[in-house]
């Protein structure tokens, strides 16, 4: 049986409820639940495998652009057009804290491994770090005892995406760079791709960073050296934020396309091994299940779809 038959290309569920574009769809840590958010200013919690809406969260004053849940599924963070980062309690739906400090819209949020810290990426050319355990609503600079690190506005344009490792914060920007801030060493490394970066994700083995660029290419970088390992083409990505990621085995690269298609490439040789129409309009988000061959996609068409093999 070829590996491509293991890819999730059959629609299993259609999640409807958002009014207007859905801007992000994310599995939780074990893949049993999903959070979605969008133009209608809401965040929705689903059981995607049964197609059931569990809860709707409302507090944002503008569109919600990204969401990320803690490893214990008890809290989540969100961000969007109202320039704030929200820290929520999943079960009660209560906003625990609103972190203020960005001077523009916020594009992306991520928790660190321990879920003690949230990092956000914004239109104001910055990444900001927030301590969830503190009662302060200001960005912090302390990550661990005796480790002090300041993230300064080194980006020259909007920061669109952020990923974290145990010791690093990595941001992708419209200025064409992927910048890595090493928390332990207190240093910054920059890889200039020469094209606006609108999404980055990290391989499951932690060795590579995948960068989606607005010249309709995905670029795979060695996380340590910054070496360009591979380039993936075929999809359309020129003016919208469209997600990219890897499968949980790191065997394939996935990218959404502005024409509603989803593409799968072989990681090593960059050949398109599968493509299919997932939505009628732009695919904004792709999220791969942490353990199973299952995928979420969201779109400007207002829907979220669950795909299985």
């Amino acid at each position: 049986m070829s590996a491509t038959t293991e890819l999730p290309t059959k629609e299993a569920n259609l999640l409807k409820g958002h009014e207007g574009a859905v801007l992000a769809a994310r599995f939780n840590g074990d893949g049993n639940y999903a959070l979605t958010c969008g133009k209608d200013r809401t965040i929705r919690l689903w059981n995607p495998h049964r197609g059931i809406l569990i809860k709707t969260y409302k507090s944002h004053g503008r569109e919600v652009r990204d969401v990320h849940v803690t490893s214990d599924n008890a809290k989540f963070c969100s961000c969007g057009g109202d320039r704030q980062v929200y820290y929520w309690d999943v079960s009660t739906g209560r906003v625990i804290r609103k972190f203020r400090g960005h001077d523009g819209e916020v594009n992306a949020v991520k928790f660190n491994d321990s879920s003690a810290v949230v990092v956000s990426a914004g239109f104001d050319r910055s990444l900001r770090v927030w301590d969830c355990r503190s009662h302060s609503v200001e960005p912090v600079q302390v990550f661990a005892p005796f480790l002090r690190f300041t993230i300064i506005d080194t980006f020259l344009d909007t920061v669109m995406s952020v990923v974290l490792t145990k010791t690093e914060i990595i941001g992708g920007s419209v200025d064409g760079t992927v910048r890595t801030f090493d928390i332990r060493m207190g240093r910054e490394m920059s890889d200039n791709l020469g094209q606006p970066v609108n999404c980055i994700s990290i391989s499951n083995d932690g060795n590579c960073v995948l960068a989606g660029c607005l010249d309709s290419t995905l670029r795979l970088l060695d996380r340590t050296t910054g070496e360009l390992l591979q380039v993936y083409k075929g999809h359309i990505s020129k003016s919208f934020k469209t997600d990219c990621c890897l499968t949980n085995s790191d065997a394939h690269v996935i990218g959404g396309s502005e024409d509603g298609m989803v593409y799968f490439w072989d990681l090593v040789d960059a050949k398109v091994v599968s493509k299919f129409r997932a939505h009628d309009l732009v695919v904004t988000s792709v999220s791969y299940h942490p353990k199973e061959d299952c995928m979420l996609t969201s779109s400007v068409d207002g829907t979220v779809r669950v795909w299985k093999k």
Side-chain angles (χ1 to χ4, degrees), residues 46-261:
W46 309 83
N47 180 327
H49 308 289
R50 297 177 62 193
I52 295 171
L53 175 64
I54 299 168
K55 199 173 184 69
T56 302
Y57 304 86
K58 297 179 181 178
S59 191
H60 276 279
R62 297 273 302 279
E63 82 279 359
V64 189
R65 296 191 176 177
D66 198 13
V67 62
H68 191 213
V69 68
T70 57
S71 52
D72 65 1
N73 300 321
K75 310 284 194 300
F76 70 90
C77 59
S78 61
C79 67
D82 55 12
R83 304 183 176 191
Q84 299 181 84
V85 175
Y86 287 53
Y87 180 48
W88 301 76
D89 183 274
V90 170
S91 59
T92 65
R94 184 173 62 89
V95 176
I96 300 167
R97 206 159 299 128
K98 293 181 185 178
F99 296 117
R100 299 180 176 92
H102 276 288
D103 296 328
E105 298 164 19
V106 189
N107 295 312
V109 282
K110 283 284 187 308
F111 283 108
N112 68 343
D113 278 352
S114 66
S115 304
V117 164
V118 174
V119 181
S120 56
F123 259 82
D124 58 7
R125 303 180 299 179
S126 76
L127 291 167
R128 294 177 191 253
V129 184
W130 318 89
D131 187 349
C132 297
R133 298 164 301 186
S134 154
H135 291 293
S136 171
V137 295
E138 300 296 317
V140 296
Q141 299 172 359
V142 178
F143 292 78
F146 314 114
L147 289 177
R148 192 171 281 271
F149 184 66
T150 304
I151 293 182
I152 52 177
D153 286 354
T154 52
F155 293 100
L156 302 177
D157 208 329
T158 299
V159 190
M160 295 298 291
S161 188
V162 61
V163 294
L164 308 182
T165 69
K166 281 186 167 57
T167 60
E168 295 168 333
I169 298 172
I170 308 168
S173 171
V174 174
D175 69 7
T177 64
V178 174
R179 295 177 193 264
T180 301
F181 302 93
D182 189 313
I183 301 157
R184 286 185 183 165
M185 305 296 290
R187 70 181 180 199
E188 176 198 336
M189 294 170 288
S190 179
D191 299 306
N192 194 339
L193 304 184
Q195 295 291 335
V197 178
N198 73 349
C199 175
I200 57 171
S201 60
I202 199 159
S203 60
N204 295 283
D205 63 13
N207 293 331
C208 302
V209 172
L210 182 67
C213 301
L214 288 178
D215 61 345
S216 298
T217 63
L218 304 180
R219 291 168 168 85
L220 190 70
L221 308 173
D222 183 290
R223 191 168 67 80
T224 307
T225 66
E227 178 190 356
L228 180 64
L229 301 175
Q230 193 53 276
V231 178
Y232 309 90
K233 294 181 179 180
H235 65 303
I236 303 167
S237 178
K238 294 179 177 176
S239 53
F240 286 85
K241 185 176 183 182
T242 54
D243 269 357
C244 59
C245 66
L246 291 95
T247 56
N248 51 36
S249 64
D250 285 338
H252 296 97
V253 167
I254 311 166
S257 181
E258 291 179 11
D259 59 1
M261 302 288 284

